[in-house]
């Protein structure tokens, strides 16, 4: 029933920027908390950023000041603007919809590679 489709990943040089998009199929998208997670090579998955239905945001400390999460409820889409990218940001980024505190839906991921 719920499908999340990420796009916007790719190869970028350190200091560059990318904008990730996540299109959600679920109706009443505006009611749900949305988030971005990432998993780097040999690392465990970590939460990068979340945005509530009311627009409140949270970020992992390592991306504060560089990444911005936003949402367009009319388009059922959440975005992650990534600036000043570092090699440490290299990871597969996953879109997440929090249906309930213990029920989450995931996209298939989009790969971001930051390298010279």
């Amino acid at each position: 029933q719920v499908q999340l489709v990420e796009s916007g990943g790719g190869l970028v040089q350190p200091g560059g920027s990318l904008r990730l998009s996540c299109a959600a199929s679920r109706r009443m998208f505006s009611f749900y908390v949305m988030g971005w997670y990432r998993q780097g090579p040999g690392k465990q998955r970590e939460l990068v950023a979340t945005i509530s239905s009311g627009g409140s945001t949270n970020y992992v400390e390592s991306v504060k000041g560089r990444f911005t999460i936003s949402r367009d409820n009319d388009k059922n889409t959440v975005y992650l603007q990534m600036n000043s990218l570092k090699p440490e940001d290299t990871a597969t980024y996953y879109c997440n919809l929090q249906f309930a505190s213990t029920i989450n839906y995931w996209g298939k991921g989009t790969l971001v590679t930051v390298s010279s």
Side-chain angles (χ1 to χ4, degrees):
Q1 294 283 349
V2 179
Q3 295 185 20
L4 304 174
V5 181
E6 303 99 333
S7 62
L11 175 64
V12 65
Q13 294 184 351
S17 298
L18 286 173
R19 189 178 78 158
L20 306 183
S21 299
C22 173
S25 64
R26 189 173 183 86
R27 295 167 61 186
M28 306 305 294
F29 167 82
S30 63
F31 283 97
Y32 302 102
V33 174
M34 300 293 296
W36 287 96
Y37 289 71
R38 68 185 180 186
Q39 186 168 22
K43 300 179 180 179
Q44 61 184 356
R45 184 182 65 186
E46 68 171 345
L47 191 152
V48 178
T50 61
I51 184 166
S52 73
S53 60
S56 297
T57 58
N58 288 284
Y59 300 91
V60 67
E61 187 173 1
S62 61
V63 308
K64 289 181 178 178
R66 300 189 297 120
F67 291 11
T68 302
I69 188 171
S70 61
R71 65 195 300 163
D72 186 334
N73 291 333
D74 291 336
K75 297 181 179 179
N76 286 1
T77 301
V78 63
Y79 304 95
L80 185 68
Q81 178 66 47
M82 305 185 294
N83 299 325
S84 301
L85 283 162
K86 304 175 181 179
E88 307 92 88
D89 297 317
T90 295
T92 299
Y93 285 72
Y94 298 91
C95 181
N96 168 265
L97 183 153
Q98 184 176 305
F99 178 76
S101 61
T102 59
I103 302 175
N104 294 271
Y105 298 94
W106 299 91
K108 296 180 179 179
T110 184
L111 179 62
V112 173
T113 302
V114 185
S115 177
S116 299

